[in-house]
Amino acid sequence: MTQNPQHISGVKENTALLVILMTCFGNILATSQPCQTPDDFVAATSPGHIMIGGLFAIREKILSSEEHSRPEIHKCVSFEISIFLQTLAMIHSIEMINNSTLLSGVTLGYEIYDTCTEVRVTMAATLRFLSKLNCSRETVEFKCDYSSYMPRVKAVIGASYSEITMAVSRMLTLLLMPQVSYESTAEILSDKSRFPSFVRTVPSDFYQTKAMAHLIQKSGWNWIDMITTDDDYGRSALYTFAIHAAANNVCIAFKEVFPAFLSDNTIEVRINQTLEKIIAEAQVNVFVVFLRQFYVFDLFNIAIERNINKIWIASDNWSTTTKIATIPNVNRIGKVVGFTFRRGNMSSFHSFLQNLHTFPRDNNKPLNEYVMLLSACAYAKDSDLSQCIFNHSLRTLPYKAIERNFSLRNDFLWDYTEPGLVHSIQLAVFALGYAIWDLCQARDCQNPNAFQPWALLDVLKNVTFSDGKNSSHFDARGDLNTRYDVLLWKEINGHMTITKMAEYDLQKDVFIFTDQETKNEFRNLKQIQSKCSKECSPGQRTKTTKSQHICCCECVNCLENHYSNQTDMDHCLLCNNETHWAPAGSTICYEKEVEYLNWNDSLAILLLGLSLLGILFVLAIGIIFTRNLSTPIVKSSGGLMVCYVILLCHFLNFVSTVFFIGEPQNFTCKTRQTLLFGVSFTLCISCILMKSLKILLTFRLDPKLQNFLKSLYKPIPIILTCTGIQVVMCTLWLIFAAPVVEENVSFPRVIILECEEGSIIASGTMLGYISILAFVCFIFAFKGRKLPENYNEAKFITFGMLIYFIAWITFIPMYATTFGKYLPATEIIFILISNYGILCCTFLPKCYVILWKQETNTKPAFLKMIYSYSSHSAGSLAMSQASLDFTNSSITMTNPRADGKSAASQKSKALQAQAFAHIWRENSPGVSKTLPRKRISSI
């Protein structure tokens, strides 16, 4: 490289000079002795108005003794073809800019150094980057303010390994010199407070580890191993991946951390120890590998020998490395799924490689070395060429002249090209090119002193650049968040081929598939199991065991009304208890069936039969009473009209039971409780109450009060009043809290369609009012129970009321403890019991007399019964023979002996008989004139 003749020969007195003599070696291909000039340390260089530095690990290893007695850099060996191609990618990208109109009149130059994957070598190269421009001595000047300091390069591209990149970045931060990395992905590099001058054209490992954890989770794996190195890159990846793995319920069974550097003697021992653990952990079939390429190369070679077949998740560091993919029998290690940076248009670089033999080899030591290695392996087959180059690069080759048109085996180079990394290098160069273009709009950039590196950094952070297809820019953390390509290593025609399976969108956290075939390949990964515990099937949930890992669990059936519809769910989902249900261990929720007392239910049919039978009884009794209207038994029952009213009430009560069956409707809910049962039953009890009261007034009261009470005794107004009170209460009930249809969802498996009473107070008041009337009726009837045998209606009324009370006292606890669709059936049962009890006790004794005791249902028999009852009661009452004939118009009664009884008692008994006859006459208008009443005083 030709230097500018201008030279700064002095510095200010208050400024100390730090002179660093660059130790270097001569041509590493010819000798291991230290070089005589600093330029011997440069791998490749080209002049330009603006110089850009490059750091590439072209050689993988450094030959050194165990003791570092002298501060010297030893010889680098093991030529890496893939890294050599990366240097060509940088050179090609710079040539593209120089040949374009982007920087009209301004050319970019470069200085590329081989880092040998060694921090010491990289630091030596970085010191030269920082050395003062146009200084005859390779010096780095110490200053308090470097704002005006002009180093020999304006920016640096590289390095690849994060640990080396961090060391370089800390030195470049002194001048705020832009450092653009194409591969360093450690998340810590996004910290601008620590690395303010660092940017990169790739995402950080935060997204790569997130993508890996997402892939593992979608593949159904939760028990994996991670292998990494003990450096900043490895530790950062391990930490970040552990966070994402935990978020995706993925557990790391064990972590294997290799030292950052191992000698050839100890690396095999360490790898064997790791493989022993892999074999011991048979349940672990997935391994996430964040290692350097040479570690993976040795690991796979030994794994193939030991027949270890697993799933290997490859980081971007080695996922596209052809050297590893071409290991003999590499298909025996299992499947490799890798992540790499999104590739771009490679056609231009491919053309560059095809014409590489015409590219000048002057000042390009890596290209010269490749040509010499290729010459040494001229007779090697393509499949053996890589190993041949590797073997020859470990030793010094004698220099020999190679003709210019020597075949460089361009197809072999193309096979070793890593498209994602080449594209990242192109983006790094383009970003600097666009930033320089922006900066040179107001400057003469043909002058190397036109701007300082820190000015370029300010523009670079905000520049928008293009690769010819897509526009890009750095985010606030200095990262370029492009997509990842997800790769799958497949054996095609006997050769391991690295194919693109999907893309990973960083922002949306989703995998994007180009076709159905690649989607099926992704799904097929699930066929391999890598779990701590057996898979929990749908209908079960995982329950964590006493192990420290949450992934080690046992399977437990979901509880009732819970379900799980996927495998390995950590919790069961709750069904909507109002509309759905699920048995224990269910995979779905079942819709609840709607139930009510249906017409085809056996119990409903039985109750309907009993109701129909009751209706037939009512009709039969009505017919019997109608046909025997003129008989004393009918007339003494209050007349046909009263009987018809009572029978109508019983009929309505029986009909009301029909409204308790079938699908409830708002109309039926309101009608059955209020009109049909409440009002009709109240009317029935009111009529019976009047009959009981009439008997009581006639037989049990002082004769002096009879005329007064008779004037108060108004049956129809009293019946209307008692019934009207119930009507008012039911009306208020319907207005303010009417019964409505309601879905009772409290049952686990069914929905009960039922009538909600609306107001418990209103319902209780209705039933309570009926009970009060029935109780009063019971008291009145009980007082008049000792009447003549054949006509003693009060006694049977008493029995009817007792049946009613027993039924409804029993009903209350049964109703409170009955649930479900048979709740209305309990109401029907007690309505039927009450109705049958009162109906039978009121009318069946009379029907019995009418049908089977017809000789007693005559007028003479009736009068004879009165005479017999009066004689028995008074002891000595007598009736004339004429009174027994219905042709006479009066009743003559004789006065028997007192037999020691009081006069008052005898008088009362006599009045009972007289009153009984009066009752019959009142209900028999045709007889009233032939049987005049004659009051008999006490004897």
Side-chain angles (χ1 to χ4, degrees), residues 2 53 84 104 225 285 328 330 366 431 476 515 554 667 785 801 916:
T2 304
F84 162 65
S104 180
D225 177 30
N285 290 311
V330 71
D515 52 52
E554 57 185 357
F667 171 75
R785 68 189 182 281
M801 295 301 108
F916 190 83

Side-chain angles (χ1 to χ4, degrees), residues 179-439:
Q179 179 187 10
V180 187
S181 177
Y182 53 88
E183 191 176 6
S184 298
T185 55
E187 186 180 3
I188 191 175
L189 288 168
S190 297
D191 186 354
K192 296 299 102 178
S193 64
R194 302 173 67 179
F195 305 99
S197 64
F198 175 82
V199 294
R200 52 187 165 193
T201 56
V202 292
S204 77
D205 280 335
F206 174 85
Y207 294 104
Q208 182 173 201
T209 54
K210 183 178 181 180
M212 288 178 173
H214 192 178
L215 180 141
I216 292 170
Q217 185 267 335
K218 287 185 69 69
S219 300
W221 306 321
N222 68 359
W223 194 235
I224 58 97
D225 177 30
M226 188 168 187
I227 307 174
T228 185
T229 51
D230 188 16
D231 53 19
D232 290 327
Y233 169 71
R235 287 189 297 269
S236 176
L238 177 59
Y239 174 77
T240 308
F241 178 78
I243 294 175
H244 292 309
N248 286 275
N249 295 323
V250 175
C251 297
I252 302 176
F254 61 92
K255 311 175 187 71
E256 193 64 28
V257 181
F258 286 6
F261 297 95
L262 286 174
S263 65
D264 292 337
N265 297 328
T266 58
I267 187 171
E268 184 174 350
V269 175
R270 188 58 185 269
I271 289 176
N272 279 317
Q273 293 173 350
T274 301
L275 294 178
E276 289 292 341
K277 291 183 180 180
I278 291 175
I279 295 173
E281 287 283 347
Q283 291 176 303
V284 180
N285 290 311
V286 177
F287 296 85
V288 177
V289 182
F290 276 86
L291 290 177
R292 297 185 179 184
Q293 295 179 8
F294 65 86
Y295 273 145
V296 179
F297 184 84
D298 293 339
L299 176 68
F300 276 15
N301 274 296
I302 300 176
I304 292 171
E305 294 176 3
R306 305 188 67 167
N307 293 320
I308 295 177
N309 189 292
K310 301 291 182 180
I311 294 282
W312 308 89
I313 309 296
S315 68
D316 58 77
N317 191 39
W318 63 274
S319 60
T320 57
T321 304
T322 306
K323 178 182 177 180
I324 300 174
T326 55
I327 295 175
N329 300 317
V330 71
N331 59 303
R332 290 166 55 183
I333 64 169
K335 289 183 178 292
V336 176
V337 180
F339 288 82
T340 188
F341 312 118
R342 189 178 184 182
R343 64 179 66 192
N345 187 353
M346 299 291 293
S347 59
S348 177
F349 185 65
H350 185 263
S351 298
F352 176 76
L353 292 181
Q354 292 295 326
N355 299 298
L356 185 61
H357 61 279
T358 64
F359 189 79
R361 298 200 294 266
D362 300 336
N363 300 319
N364 195 324
K365 295 174 185 177
L367 180 57
N368 282 320
E369 182 176 0
Y370 171 70
V371 171
M372 295 180 66
L373 290 170
L374 203 60
S375 174
C377 299
Y379 299 101
K381 298 180 180 179
D382 286 346
S383 57
D384 301 327
L385 183 57
S386 174
Q387 188 63 39
C388 178
I389 291 176
F390 174 77
N391 294 335
H392 280 84
S393 68
L394 294 178
R395 59 180 182 269
T396 300
L397 293 178
Y399 176 81
K400 65 177 181 178
I402 305 296
E403 62 183 35
R404 188 169 185 80
N405 293 326
F406 179 75
S407 174
L408 299 183
R409 297 201 183 186
N410 308 106
D411 292 337
F412 169 75
L413 289 177
W414 180 247
D415 290 339
Y416 270 75
T417 300
E418 300 179 56
L421 284 173
V422 169
H423 184 236
S424 297
I425 294 170
Q426 291 175 344
L427 290 177
V429 175
F430 292 159
L432 287 174
Y434 276 83
I436 293 171
W437 171 83
D438 194 351
L439 200 61

Side-chain angles (χ1 to χ4, degrees), residues 393-505:
S393 68
L394 294 178
R395 59 180 182 269
T396 300
L397 293 178
Y399 176 81
K400 65 177 181 178
I402 305 296
E403 62 183 35
R404 188 169 185 80
N405 293 326
F406 179 75
S407 174
L408 299 183
R409 297 201 183 186
N410 308 106
D411 292 337
F412 169 75
L413 289 177
W414 180 247
D415 290 339
Y416 270 75
T417 300
E418 300 179 56
L421 284 173
V422 169
H423 184 236
S424 297
I425 294 170
Q426 291 175 344
L427 290 177
V429 175
F430 292 159
L432 287 174
Y434 276 83
I436 293 171
W437 171 83
D438 194 351
L439 200 61
C440 292
Q441 296 299 307
R443 292 177 174 84
D444 179 16
C445 289
Q446 292 184 353
N447 181 1
N449 297 313
F451 60 88
Q452 282 75 27
W454 60 266
L456 178 62
L457 178 64
D458 288 340
V459 178
L460 180 64
K461 289 180 178 179
N462 301 299
V463 72
T464 299
F465 52 95
S466 173
D467 62 354
K469 181 179 180 181
N470 300 310
S471 296
S472 307
H473 63 87
F474 298 107
D475 63 14
R477 296 159 62 90
D479 300 334
L480 191 64
N481 294 324
T482 60
R483 292 181 176 180
Y484 282 104
D485 284 344
V486 184
L487 308 176
L488 178 66
W489 291 19
K490 294 194 302 184
E491 187 177 14
I492 300 177
N493 298 326
H495 299 284
M496 186 62 70
T497 305
I498 302 175
T499 62
K500 179 180 175 180
M501 182 169 60
E503 288 185 5
Y504 175 74
D505 191 319

